[in-house]
Amino acid sequence: MRTKAPRRRTRAKQKRLSPDDRRKEFVVKATEFFSEEGFGGGTRDLARRLGVTQPLLYRYFPSKDDLIKEVYRTVYLEPLDTGWEKLLTDRSRPIRDRLQEFYNAYTNVIFDRKWLRIYLYSGLKGLDINRWYVDMVRDKILSRIIRECRHEAGFPVQSRPSAAELELAWVFHGGIFYYGVRKFIYGSPALEDKEQMISDALDAFLTGYARVFGAASELRLTPMKVVG
Amino acid sequence: MRTKAPRRRTRAKQKRLSPDDRRKEFVVKATEFFSEEGFGGGTRDLARRLGVTQPLLYRYFPSKDDLIKEVYRTVYLEPLDTGWEKLLTDRSRPIRDRLQEFYNAYTNVIFDRKWLRIYLYSGLKGLDINRWYVDMVRDKILSRIIRECRHEAGFPVQSRPSAAELELAWVFHGGIFYYGVRKFIYGSPALEDKEQMISDALDAFLTGYARVFGAASELRLTPMKVVG
DNA sequence: GCGATTGTTTATCGCCTGATTACTAATTAA
DNA sequence: TTAATTAGTAATCAGGCGATAAACAATCGC
C-alpha cells in the first residue's frame, strides 16, 4: 500500500544506533512515557514517541513488563544514595542545618514530575519496590533523624525510636512530600519558595518534637506544660 | 432456583432488580472495583464481580466513562460537607480542641482504602474534580484554620493568609493525609493510634506556627484538661 | 568490493477491550 | 389469561493490545 516499489526511498527513520545507546534511550523515554500515561500505556504509542516501530522494543526487552522493571530500577535506585546518611549524622553541624540541607537535596531529586508520578503509580500497584522504598525512608532517613533529635535533646540514642516519634517524623516528611505532589502532579500553584517551606516545616517539626517528647521522662507523657 | 418454577430451569442469575437499586448497586460495586484495579479495569471483570453480564452495564450507563464519572461524584461529593466549617470556627472552644475534633472526623471519612485510591487515581489523571478538591481544602479548611490561628495569636484576621502560612498548613495537612496513604495504600504498619498521631502533629503545627509567625506565648497550644 | 552480522521494519497472530444488536424471560396492567 | 413492557443475556463487531516471525537494510570484518 505504501509508496514502496518505485523509488529506493531510504526511510529517514532508520538510525541504527549502537545497542547500548538505543537501550538507554528507550529506558529514558519509556520513563517519561509511562510517568505520563501510566503503565497501561501502549507499546505502540511508546514506540511512536521513540520514533521507531513497536517490534523493535522487543529486541531490547523480552516483554513490556521487563521494560517497566527497568524503568522502576532507574527511577528508584539511580538517583539515590548520594551521601545523605553521612550528611544527616555529621554532629559537627547544628541539626537544623543538616536537616535543611538534606531536605533541600532530597527534594531536588524527588520533586520531579516523572519521579513522583512513577512513585505514585507503583504505590497504587502495591509493588514490592514501593514497600522497599518506604522501609528505606523509615530506616535510613527518619530513624536517623530521630536519633539525631534524641541526641540533641540529651535522650539515650541507643534505643529504637518510639512509634510516636517515628509517626511525627513521618508526618513531617509526608508533609514535605505532599508539597511536591501538589505542585508537580496536581499542578497547584506553588505558593512559596521550596527552601522556605522546608525551613518553616523544620521549625515546626523540631519545636514540635521538643514539645511532644521533650519532657523529662522518656516515657510518653502527654504534653502538660501550658504555655503562658 | 427460586421456589417459583418447578421444572423450567430458570437460570439462577436472573434477579431483575428495580432500576434504581441496580444502578446504585452498580455504582457502589464499581467504586470498589475501580479503586482496586484502577480505571483501566475491564467492564467484563466488573460485570463478573457484579454477577451480571457485561452488556447490562450499558443499559444503565451510556459508556464506561459515564459510569466512572458517577463513581467520582459519589466518592468526592457524598461524604463531604458535614458541618466541618462551623466546627472549625466555633470560637467558644479552644482552637486545639476544634482542630483535633475536625481532623478526627475528616480522617474518619478519607482514611478509607477506596476513597484514597480513587483520589490518587483521579489526581494522576489530572481531572478537574481533583483540582476542585484541592482548592476546596485550601479555601474551606486551611484558610479557615489559619484565620483561627491568627485570631488566637491576636493578628489581624481580615487579611488573606500569607503564602507561607498557607504552606505550613499544607505541610501539616499533607502530613496527616500521607499517614492514611501509608497505612491504607502502601500497607505500611500503622505505628500508632490515629488520634494520637493527629494530636502530636497538631502540637507541632501550632507550636511551629507560633514560632514561625508570631510570639509563642500568645498561643494556647495545649488542651485545658491535663491527661494523667 | 563481498558476505556475515545484526539493527529495523512489515505483516500478522491471538487475545482482550468497549460497545451494539437481537433475542429471552420476568414483571406489570388489562 | 393475555398482551405489553422491560430487565437481562447471548452473540458479535471493530479496534487495540502484547508479542512473534520473516523480510529488509545498514554496518563491520575481510
Side-chain angles (χ1 to χ4, degrees), chain B residues 42-73:
Chain B
T43 54
R44 279 171 181 77
D45 285 346
L46 170 57
R48 191 174 307 122
R49 188 178 293 206
L50 282 161
V52 299
T53 54
Q54 180 244 8
L56 189 58
L57 294 172
Y58 289 86
R59 175 164 299 263
Y60 292 90
F61 306 95
S63 73
K64 179 184 176 181
D65 224 59
D66 287 273
L67 170 55
I68 288 175
K69 276 175 190 160
E70 199 115 352
V71 167
Y72 282 132
R73 218 178 48 75

Side-chain angles (χ1 to χ4, degrees), chain A residues 117 119 124 130-131 163-164 167 170-171 174-175 178-179 182 186 191-192 207 211-212 220 222-225, chain B residues 117 119 124 130-131 163-164 167 170-171 174-175 178-179 182 186 191-192 196 200 203 207 211 222 226-227:
Chain A
R117 290 182 70 91
Y119 177 80
L124 284 165
N130 202 267
R131 291 211 190 94
E167 211 57 57
W170 264 121
V171 170
Y178 201 63
Y179 172 92
R182 261 170 40 236
Y186 299 160
L191 298 174
E192 197 187 342
T207 56
R211 164 167 289 271
V212 175
R220 184 196 180 77
T222 48
M224 297 178 61
K225 291 171 298 187
Chain B
R117 291 182 69 90
Y119 176 80
L124 284 165
N130 202 267
R131 291 210 190 95
E167 211 56 59
W170 264 121
V171 170
Y178 201 62
Y179 172 92
R182 264 170 38 237
Y186 299 159
L191 297 175
E192 198 187 339
Q196 187 61 54
D200 292 347
D203 278 331
T207 320
R211 167 170 285 271
T222 47
V226 175
V227 182

Side-chain angles (χ1 to χ4, degrees), chain A residues 95 146-157 209-210 213-216:
Chain A
I95 185 173
I146 289 166
R147 189 153 46 171
E148 297 309 301
C149 285
R150 294 176 76 96
H151 173 78
E152 195 78 5
F155 297 163
V157 295
Y209 180 87
F213 301 105

Side-chain angles (χ1 to χ4, degrees), chain A:
Chain A
M1 220 37 166
R2 278 291 203 243
T3 53
K4 185 157 180 200
R7 292 267 87 186
R8 269 308 180 79
R9 278 187 101 271
T10 59
R11 262 168 296 271
K13 290 179 173 182
Q14 297 195 121
K15 289 177 183 173
R16 200 178 174 94
L17 295 185
S18 83
D20 263 18
D21 292 347
R22 261 282 188 253
R23 208 185 146 81
K24 280 174 190 161
E25 187 195 3
F26 280 9
V27 174
V28 169
K29 294 286 186 70
T31 302
E32 296 172 12
F33 177 76
F34 287 127
S35 77
E36 288 303 321
E37 307 294 325
F39 294 102
T43 53
R44 281 169 180 80
D45 285 346
L46 169 58
R48 193 174 305 123
R49 188 177 294 204
L50 283 161
V52 299
T53 53
Q54 179 243 7
L56 190 58
L57 294 171
Y58 289 86
R59 176 153 302 259
Y60 291 90
F61 306 95
S63 72
K64 180 185 175 181
D65 224 58
D66 287 271
L67 170 55
I68 287 175
K69 275 175 190 161
E70 198 114 352
V71 167
Y72 282 132
R73 218 178 48 76
T74 61
V75 166
Y76 278 107
L77 306 181
E78 217 165 68
L80 255 54
D81 217 340
T82 52
W84 289 334
E85 299 193 33
K86 279 165 195 141
L87 170 60
L88 281 175
T89 55
D90 173 18
R91 290 185 179 161
S92 72
R93 305 173 57 199
I95 185 173
R96 203 190 173 292
D97 288 3
R98 283 178 271 157
L99 287 174
Q100 176 84 45
E101 188 175 333
F102 166 75
Y103 272 101
N104 285 348
Y106 180 69
T107 54
N108 277 343
V109 170
I110 71 166
F111 282 5
D112 171 76
R113 185 175 169 87
K114 289 195 304 295
W115 195 97
L116 289 168
R117 290 182 70 91
I118 298 247
Y119 177 80
L120 290 180
Y121 275 121
S122 75
L124 284 165
K125 281 220 267 182
L127 260 44
D128 286 341
I129 198 167
N130 202 267
R131 291 211 190 94
W132 167 86
Y133 188 86
V134 171
D135 288 351
M136 187 273 293
V137 169
R138 187 192 58 218
D139 297 335
K140 299 279 165 58
I141 298 177
L142 301 183
S143 293
R144 213 152 293 232
I145 287 175
I146 289 166
R147 189 153 46 171
E148 297 309 301
C149 285
R150 294 176 76 96
H151 173 78
E152 195 78 5
F155 297 163
V157 295
Q158 58 266 45
S159 61
R160 309 287 304 168
S162 73
E165 286 174 298
L166 217 39
E167 211 57 57
L168 190 63
W170 264 121
V171 170
F172 162 69
H173 185 94
I176 288 181
F177 177 84
Y178 201 63
Y179 172 92
V181 173
R182 261 170 40 236
K183 183 169 178 181
F184 293 98
I185 297 189
Y186 299 160
S188 224
L191 298 174
E192 197 187 342
D193 166 46
K194 187 192 79 171
E195 301 199 358
Q196 187 59 54
M197 177 275 295
I198 293 173
S199 172
D200 291 346
L202 259 175
D203 278 332
F205 169 68
L206 291 173
T207 56
Y209 180 87
R211 164 167 289 271
V212 175
F213 301 105
S217 169
E218 191 192 343
L219 288 176
R220 184 196 180 77
L221 296 175
T222 48
M224 297 178 61
K225 291 171 298 187
V226 175
V227 176

